[in-house]
Amino acid sequence: MEIDLNCDMGESFGAWTMGLDAEAMPLVSSANVACGFHASDPGTMRRTVRLAKQHGVSVGAHPSYPDLVGFGRRDLQLSPDQVRDDVTYQLGALWAFCRAEGIPLRHVKPHGALYNASARDAELAQAVADAVRSIDPALVLVGLAGSEHGRAAERAGLPHVAEAFADRAYLADGSLAPRGTPGAVLHDPARIADRVARMVEDHAIEAIDGASVPFAARTICVHGDNPAAVEIIRAIRARLSQAGIAVRPFASELSRRERP
Amino acid sequence: MEIDLNCDMGESFGAWTMGLDAEAMPLVSSANVACGFHASDPGTMRRTVRLAKQHGVSVGAHPSYPDLVGFGRRDLQLSPDQVRDDVTYQLGALWAFCRAEGIPLRHVKPHGALYNASARDAELAQAVADAVRSIDPALVLVGLAGSEHGRAAERAGLPHVAEAFADRAYLADGSLAPRGTPGAVLHDPARIADRVARMVEDHAIEAIDGASVPFAARTICVHGDNPAAVEIIRAIRARLSQAGIAVRPFASELSRRERP
Amino acid sequence: MEIDLNCDMGESFGAWTMGLDAEAMPLVSSANVACGFHASDPGTMRRTVRLAKQHGVSVGAHPSYPDLVGFGRRDLQLSPDQVRDDVTYQLGALWAFCRAEGIPLRHVKPHGALYNASARDAELAQAVADAVRSIDPALVLVGLAGSEHGRAAERAGLPHVAEAFADRAYLADGSLAPRGTPGAVLHDPARIADRVARMVEDHAIEAIDGASVPFAARTICVHGDNPAAVEIIRAIRARLSQAGIAVRPFASELSRRERP
Amino acid sequence: MEIDLNCDMGESFGAWTMGLDAEAMPLVSSANVACGFHASDPGTMRRTVRLAKQHGVSVGAHPSYPDLVGFGRRDLQLSPDQVRDDVTYQLGALWAFCRAEGIPLRHVKPHGALYNASARDAELAQAVADAVRSIDPALVLVGLAGSEHGRAAERAGLPHVAEAFADRAYLADGSLAPRGTPGAVLHDPARIADRVARMVEDHAIEAIDGASVPFAARTICVHGDNPAAVEIIRAIRARLSQAGIAVRPFASELSRRERP
């Protein structure tokens, strides 16, 4: 048994630090690296790609709406063409650092408001998928389970991987419990670690009302932006290890095919 | 006999238009495309790459210091590492649009203050050359004749092409007459066209004092930012045609080697 | 009889020029000056304020969403607090140039997507009005007739002036004919000039279906971004002059009260 | 006896936090508030002004070169006119938040590379002083002792206050020991506190070679960007209190004159 843990990385900007990348990187298997539109800058991108390489972590792009001051969390309502071009630009920029550091770019996961908008809106999802495919049809589109992300990837002939969230409660229909709801966000490391292990072992997630939701994700999103978040990843790693579950990039199998 | 005409392109930004790209593109053989740091945006980059493709024009990157409001003309005094990373980022971004549109990225020519600083400063030239080589060692570094550009390219094992300026007067030592000097910038289309033809035919440039300067350039920089500038390119084309000199990308021969 | 003509000004940015400010400024009575968020930069703001002063044109701020690449035309969906703070920042920045050049800041007219959003949304209109009042309760809020702009100004105790559009057709209910509709945008200078004169003389606008709509506006929005637009202002000026209607800042009467 | 402690504040940006403003604000008497060019954003500016007001701290502007990614530390080599306009813009923006929150703007201290460049270069210092005076001739220009800052303020008829640095060693000629030199930056809170108290009591600073340098500063610059820095301010406050020295805004006396 194996699972991937993905984590947003490289979200510092200029003189500002965000995230405990040095602590979190050795604990995860895939890094979603910011590309300068919601966070990061060229120097940060290079350092992040190097850090990922050093720890054998698979690198993906984490493109966003162009909104530094809003950290990519504001819904900019761009047209599909604008989204396609903005994503193309960002993928190229990160690809260049991967190339310069001698490692492949493996996946793409949209960030923040672009993630949410493209999960809901078929045209925006298509714009993202088109940008990805135009760069490299072997790139994996990582997105929300059951959303437009998967459908767009399929139409574009792109590999797609759905993600689950380690610290979010699910409703019986498989969707995330809205952030306002009591219990929507989990905080206890042991409980989260346990949940993650059971997702992988049982191929199911226990929903907030006790129902069992099928777990179709091949990667689990974790956070590394504060000491408590890193503590949670540590607990997950320990629990997975105990259960004999390896933490390995989801892209490993897919990418094996494309390798010579 | 053949020569390349290179021209800065894609310098519009958002709602602002700069340059008569549609008029100038059919007249040149190489386009230096802005990458979003001194001008351009993702949509403009795509449109510019498409326009170049449509006219069979060879595409190069025109990276800059990060200075939109100063149009990349202010000397930002970045460290060599910052320059290397900023150039890497921009090359990747433009590469992505070339890739998406199905044409190769052929050359790199630094813009504005970065051009001047890296022509003078060996470390900055090296930073540019390192960034270029780390993306693709077949990319041609276009720079100032006799400057650090060529030496850095040589050290990095990159092909290098020096450029001459169609509308600038030269001193007897082969350097450009400073912009303030009377006669430093030429304006008469017929005279400029004549000069360009003689550069190619005679392998020499007539300096401002009448001396003959050896012409080692394989590309001539022309401008397309206003109707008078486009008129000058038209005059050059007509005069070259008369002299039986083909206008063809400098990269054509070099790139032939790398093609399968 | 008198009327004000207001025009967006100072929308150049860095090396990019937009608008024929030098031609349009002598023809209008109020300038809505961009504040650096959708267009303009500190140097452009100073030059624009100086140009307005030179022609005795009343200066207002034209604040926007922070969206340079989108020219403030994209609906950023900011919170009311963000809008209030963004508008406060921009008003202060323009106020500084007015102060430095020795002329008063008279009015505020939101730009683009912020204009449209705050015309529709009471909370956003309130955020704009609160920002304006917190700087100077004598500033006039210029907005869309019959929209939330007026109601917010009233609640905030701010003077409010509604604007009509010289080149836009109106529906029988007094709203603008949507841009897609045939005839929604007028192009003939003579016809536009005639319409404007009749608005002022008859206190009424002829709607697209022939109905008569009451004209409550005290300023008419004109454009100066291209030669045809400037031609239209010239036609309006000539027609108004013929009709004995003076072109004078709407703020003149209001501001008389506050003067020593 | 009294002295002012000034501290850079409001250097967070969007989602990024910098500085322990909430901890440091109650300990200082003057806040140099970032204006959006090297750090801060409209929301951060408002919160910082409110925090200063709440603790009775005097507010000044901390304008910078326009260089967010470089945190205003890169020497942009702007022309004096560009500096004057950039500073004017920033002063106005911060003035607006002071006005909205009902407190005066008291002083201006340039940031980073602009501080250093204008301390050395008479024309840049003049550009800063001209911008300040054009907004309000009662604003105090805070700068480096013995530098162009003071001379420019004098020529402009502006009040000027020189600052000393709590944690920097001085040479016998009164200049700062360069950052590379051993002992150039002090770290021990007790020693720093002692030094500050003696500066105020003895009107002299002990230089790195034991010489006594006259202390002409009316404000002492302290830092609040990390827990150790805040600890140092606490130690200074305790030591000053012990010595019967009040911590009070330098602007208090100057501003008394302008008050009604």
Side-chain angles (χ1 to χ4, degrees), chain A residues 126-174:
Chain A
Q126 196 63 44
V128 172
D130 286 351
V132 174
R133 193 179 42 89
S134 75
I135 298 299
D136 182 354
L139 283 166
V140 180
L141 183 60
V142 176
L144 187 66
S147 78
E148 294 295 339
H149 290 145
R151 288 185 279 279
E154 216 158 283
R155 281 193 304 271
L158 279 181
H160 174 254
V161 158
E163 67 175 347
F165 296 88
D167 64 350
R168 295 291 300 276
Y170 281 80
L171 301 180
D173 66 355

Side-chain angles (χ1 to χ4, degrees), chain C residues 28-233:
Chain C
V28 302
S29 39
S30 291
N32 316 308
V33 180
C35 303
F37 272 41
H38 76 284
S40 201
D41 57 76
T44 298
M45 288 168 76
R46 184 179 294 271
R47 284 187 293 277
T48 307
V49 166
R50 277 186 184 161
L51 187 69
K53 182 185 182 186
Q54 183 188 333
H55 293 285
V57 167
S58 183
V59 170
H62 199 38
S64 162
Y65 284 136
D67 180 19
L68 213 49
V69 73
F71 201 67
R73 287 177 182 146
R74 309 193 288 205
D75 193 350
L76 259 62
Q77 309 203 300
L78 302 194
S79 71
D81 277 7
Q82 287 173 321
V83 164
R84 184 201 58 200
D85 292 346
D86 281 0
V87 170
T88 301
Y89 185 98
Q90 293 175 78
L91 296 192
L94 184 62
W95 168 87
F97 289 103
C98 289
R99 171 107 174 162
E101 297 297 324
I103 59 169
L105 179 67
R106 294 279 193 212
H107 71 274
V108 178
K109 172 178 158 180
H111 167 80
L114 177 59
Y115 184 92
N116 296 330
S118 56
R120 270 193 321 265
D121 182 307
E123 273 193 290
L124 293 184
Q126 196 64 43
V128 172
D130 287 350
V132 174
R133 193 179 41 91
S134 75
I135 298 299
D136 181 355
L139 283 166
V140 180
L141 183 60
V142 176
L144 187 66
S147 78
E148 294 296 338
H149 289 144
R151 288 186 278 279
E154 217 159 281
R155 281 193 302 271
L158 279 180
H160 174 255
V161 158
E163 68 176 345
F165 296 88
D167 64 351
R168 294 291 300 276
Y170 282 78
L171 301 181
D173 66 356
S175 67
L176 292 170
R179 268 178 188 281
T181 327
V185 181
L186 311 178
H187 298 285
D188 178 47
R191 215 184 123 208
I192 294 172
D194 225 55
R195 240 169 83 85
V196 166
R198 279 182 293 129
M199 284 182 195
V200 183
E201 287 171 328
D202 307 348
H203 301 284
I205 308 177
E206 190 188 343
I208 207 165
D209 68 350
S212 179
V213 174
F215 170 74
R218 286 174 53 193
T219 181
I220 292 172
C221 181
V222 296
H223 305 293
D225 41 332
N226 59 64
V230 173
E231 207 38 61
I232 289 171
I233 317 182

Side-chain angles (χ1 to χ4, degrees), chain B residues 129-196:
Chain B
D130 287 350
V132 174
R133 192 178 41 90
S134 75
I135 298 299
D136 181 355
L139 282 166
V140 180
L141 182 60
V142 176
L144 187 66
S147 77
E148 294 296 339
H149 290 144
R151 288 186 277 280
E154 216 158 283
R155 281 193 302 272
L158 279 179
H160 173 254
V161 158
E163 67 175 347
F165 296 88
D167 64 351
R168 294 292 300 277
Y170 281 79
L171 301 180
D173 66 355
S175 67
L176 291 170
R179 268 178 188 280
T181 326
V185 181
L186 312 178
H187 299 285
D188 178 47
R191 219 185 119 206
I192 294 171
D194 224 55
R195 242 168 82 85
V196 166

Side-chain angles (χ1 to χ4, degrees), chain A residues 35-37 41-47 50 81-82 84-86 88-97 99-101 131 134-137, chain B residues 35-37 41-47 50 81-82 84-86 88-97 99-101 131 134-137:
Chain A
C35 303
F37 273 41
D41 57 78
T44 299
M45 287 167 77
R46 184 179 294 271
R47 282 187 293 277
R50 277 186 184 162
D81 277 8
Q82 287 173 322
R84 184 202 56 201
D85 293 346
D86 281 0
T88 300
Y89 185 97
Q90 294 175 78
L91 296 191
L94 184 62
W95 168 87
F97 289 103
R99 172 107 173 160
E101 297 297 324
S134 75
I135 298 299
D136 182 354
Chain B
C35 303
F37 273 40
D41 58 76
T44 298
M45 287 167 75
R46 185 180 293 272
R47 282 187 294 276
R50 277 186 184 162
D81 278 7
Q82 286 173 322
R84 184 201 57 200
D85 293 347
D86 281 0
T88 301
Y89 186 97
Q90 293 174 78
L91 296 191
L94 184 62
W95 168 87
F97 290 103
R99 171 109 174 159
E101 297 297 325
S134 75
I135 298 299
D136 181 355

Side-chain angles (χ1 to χ4, degrees), chain B residues 1-4 29 56 58 104-107 136-140 159 161 218 246-260:
Chain B
M1 272 185 302
E2 69 179 60
I3 190 67
D4 176 67
S29 39
S58 183
L105 180 67
R106 293 278 193 214
H107 71 274
D136 181 355
L139 282 166
V140 180
V161 158
R218 287 173 54 195
V247 173
R248 209 169 285 161
F250 61 80
S252 59
E253 188 207 344
L254 296 160
S255 58
R256 230 167 270 142
R257 284 186 247 148
E258 50 161 324
R259 281 195 202 134

